Amino acid sequence: MDSISSGLVADVLHRLHQEAEMADAPLMHAFASEANSREEMISQAIAAENRDLNEVYQRYANNFLSVSPRFGRFLYMCARASKAKRIVEFGSSMGISTIYMAAALRDMGGGHLIGTDLEPGKIERARANVAAAGLSDLVEFRLGDARETLSSGISDIDMVMLDGAFTLYLSILKLLEPQLKPGAIIVGENAFEEASGYLDYVRDPRNGYLSLSLQFDPGRGNELAIKTR
């Protein structure tokens, strides 16, 4: 059974990807116009987060900043391959990536996904989108700073999706680390070397991970890691 290829979930995802492309096109154009290079764009984003994290994400309250359809399919496959029952998502935005992973839980018989985001409006829209896909019973959204919202009430994590503030990836991973099951999958989108020390950490086997970069969606900083102990 594969609910992302046809049926209700697939239809909702198709609509949301179209909405995301329309909503984010002006922002992507602005990024490309203002920065002389990918490195400059990343540097500017990191500097803005370090100045005022809340202000940055309030500015993007109406933007999806979502995963691509290909990356969403990859998330679904990771959840299926790991037989995940408990998934944590840092940076749910409008819920597109949430739907891919929750669909995997549904197709395997159930589970629990905890998502979090800073923006109240995004949480509201994510809940509506997940409901439209018929997946609400599998998903819990927590509003606020993930360093607080993910600090309790979580255990036995099979999979983590990191897609929030670039500069917080390492701190969020370390927060969740005691609850990661051996073999847990950690997927990072926009996991940039310049951001937080996250890549250095997961790429060092002494820290209990194996990790490698993903070659699709080039330039997005996609990384796959597994917990080895």
Side-chain angles (χ1 to χ4, degrees):
M1 182 179 178
D2 161 20
S3 60
I4 66 168
S5 294
S6 62
L8 177 62
V9 171
D11 291 344
V12 170
L13 286 170
H14 179 72
R15 171 177 62 81
L16 291 175
H17 279 299
Q18 288 183 319
E19 291 178 11
E21 186 174 355
M22 292 180 61
D24 290 359
L27 179 64
M28 297 301 107
H29 178 73
F31 280 160
S33 300
E34 293 171 5
N36 293 323
S37 67
R38 173 183 177 274
E39 289 73 22
E40 182 180 347
M41 186 166 62
I42 294 169
S43 177
Q44 290 173 356
I46 291 169
E49 286 189 3
N50 286 329
R51 283 194 303 270
D52 190 334
L53 189 65
N54 289 322
E55 191 277 332
V56 168
Y57 287 94
Q58 287 170 3
R59 190 191 316 157
Y60 301 142
N62 294 315
N63 294 108
F64 282 71
L65 305 175
S66 62
V67 300
S68 68
R70 191 177 185 188
F71 196 86
R73 181 177 291 268
F74 175 75
L75 291 174
Y76 176 91
M77 292 171 67
C78 284
R80 290 291 301 256
S82 64
K83 297 181 171 59
K85 290 295 182 185
R86 291 180 179 86
I87 301 174
V88 175
E89 180 178 35
F90 166 53
S92 297
S93 191
M94 309 295 190
I96 290 180
S97 51
T98 311
I99 290 172
Y100 278 103
M101 293 183 288
L105 294 178
R106 168 75 77 225
D107 291 348
M108 294 186 293
H112 188 211
L113 188 155
I114 296 172
T116 185
D117 206 277
L118 272 173
E119 279 299 307
K122 285 195 169 184
I123 289 286
E124 183 178 347
R125 290 181 67 177
R127 285 195 179 108
N129 292 333
V130 167
L135 299 168
S136 294
D137 59 311
L138 302 167
V139 179
E140 169 194 352
F141 286 112
R142 299 182 180 182
L143 172 63
D145 189 317
R147 290 168 291 187
E148 299 173 2
T149 61
L150 300 180
S151 64
S152 62
I154 301 174
S155 62
D156 298 325
I157 301 170
D158 299 300
M159 180 175 173
V160 175
M161 168 60 168
L162 299 172
D163 194 17
F166 312 147
T167 53
L168 295 185
Y169 281 22
L170 182 56
S171 59
I172 296 301
L173 177 64
K174 287 188 173 182
L175 177 68
L176 298 173
E177 202 167 49
Q179 307 304 330
L180 294 177
K181 294 167 67 174
I185 290 176
I186 304 96
V187 182
E189 195 200 31
N190 305 133
F192 299 125
E193 291 187 28
E194 302 91 336
S196 66
Y198 170 79
L199 290 183
D200 288 339
Y201 186 76
V202 294
R203 289 178 180 175
D204 186 342
R206 292 173 296 181
N207 294 321
Y209 297 91
L210 286 177
S211 188
L212 53 79
S213 61
L214 300 169
Q215 298 307 307
F216 58 84
D217 292 351
R220 293 288 290 264
N222 297 325
E223 186 86 3
L224 174 67
I226 64 166
K227 189 80 172 71
T228 57
R229 66 169 186 260

